[in-house]
Amino acid sequence: MTTAAALIALDWGTSSLRAWLLDRTGAVLARHRSAHGIMRLPEGGYPAAFAAATEGWDRSLPAIACGMVGSAQGWREVPYLRCPAGPDALADALDRDGDIAIVPGLLWTGDPNGGSPPEVMRGEETQILGVLALRPDLRERSLLVLPGTHNKWAWVAAGRVESFNTAMTGELFAVLRDHSILGRPAKLAEAPADEAEAGMAFRRGFDAAWNAPDGVTPLLFSVRTLVLTGQVAAAASLDYLSGLLIGDELRAPLRRWNAAGRPPVVLVGDPALCARYAAALEWAGVAPGVPVIEDAALDGLRRIARSAGWLDAGVPAGGADTEGEATA
């Protein structure tokens, strides 16, 4: 390794841990990935997981981490930073009390007069800042959608996260699939649905929810009745359920999006899941071809680290990889 290392960056979530060794420009010198998320720590806990992820690296270097490592179940609980917040505010609010500096999550206090409850996120704020580093054109005004277990709809203005909303669509889908009668037809199907069949079922579910006057709750039992009456194949029933839930999820944020003058929309996350959301957004009236950015956590960590003075300022987002990834 000929380039001097300057920083250790970590994306430390619930089920996985990723670590990168960076030089002053933010280029990746080495990387490591393991299953040592906060719920799957090795013997020795957080210090042991950190040591394993950085084996052979200079651990006297500054280290920065984002994600659930700063939650109540994490290495240290770090208070949420209130919105609006951008990279400089997050850098100023870093918790530097331990071996690693931890990025705070974000809190939006909500709008009681408008019926909006408080919202929180941990880890997504770093992804969002990474997207804004990669796509400066989105900083003035945009809507970033981060599908996952708890989907986030983040409203950006002037380079800061102004507010955001959470939809538990991913977790609700998993609960209904695994712990309700609605998941049984797909489990008993002899073969998985083909791509065309799954796509038609997903679109049918989306259309039903998007056009439902009373929301999705009265439609959920149709996952079973459409199979019983032969209108949806058992193997495609979960695709129909997915369409119902996503179609219902899009209704509220897209009303706000229309009222806000239709700012640019970008999806961030798993490509397969984002493809479903891209299709649903197009059916709901968003222009086709919504961009998808798979992973921007490292770029977000770089951006915060530059504000903190650990990396050189003025270096474009991203960086060359000079070593391969180690896994454990």
Side-chain angles (χ1 to χ4, degrees), residues 143 145 153 155 165 206 210 246-263 265 277 279-287 290:
L143 170 59
V145 187
W153 294 74
W155 302 86
N165 302 101
F206 170 84
W210 182 253
I246 291 175
D248 188 64
E249 177 188 350
L250 265 56
R251 290 154 63 103
L254 289 190
R255 282 196 298 271
R256 178 177 174 184
W257 175 75
N258 275 299
R262 299 191 162 203
V265 180
Y277 275 81
L281 285 165
E282 182 177 347
W283 299 335
V286 179
V290 173

Side-chain angles (χ1 to χ4, degrees), residues 300-326:
L301 287 166
R302 287 180 175 123
R303 181 62 185 86
I304 297 168
R306 288 189 178 108
S307 289
W310 290 320
L311 297 180
D312 293 337
V315 179
D321 293 350
T322 60
E323 291 202 6
E325 179 174 288

Side-chain angles (χ1 to χ4, degrees), residues 3-56:
T3 305
L7 179 71
I8 296 169
L10 306 104
D11 177 16
W12 207 329
T14 302
S15 59
S16 67
L17 166 61
R18 294 183 296 165
W20 299 271
L21 185 65
L22 308 179
D23 70 9
R24 287 288 306 183
T25 71
V28 177
L29 303 176
R31 59 176 67 211
H32 176 96
R33 184 181 187 120
S34 77
H36 290 155
I38 71 163
M39 302 303 291
R40 302 171 66 178
L41 294 170
E43 184 177 352
Y46 289 99
F50 179 61
T54 57
E55 184 177 0

Side-chain angles (χ1 to χ4, degrees), residues 67-68 70-73 77-83 85 90 93 103-109 119-125 152 164:
M68 292 299 287
S71 69
Q73 296 77 38
E77 184 175 8
V78 178
Y80 292 104
L81 179 65
R82 290 193 176 197
C83 289
L90 282 163
V103 179
L106 291 185
L107 164 69
W108 180 50
T109 56
E119 300 276 3
V120 296
M121 65 167 66
R122 281 199 192 275
E124 294 95 346
E125 75 293 323
K152 304 295 183 183
F164 57 94

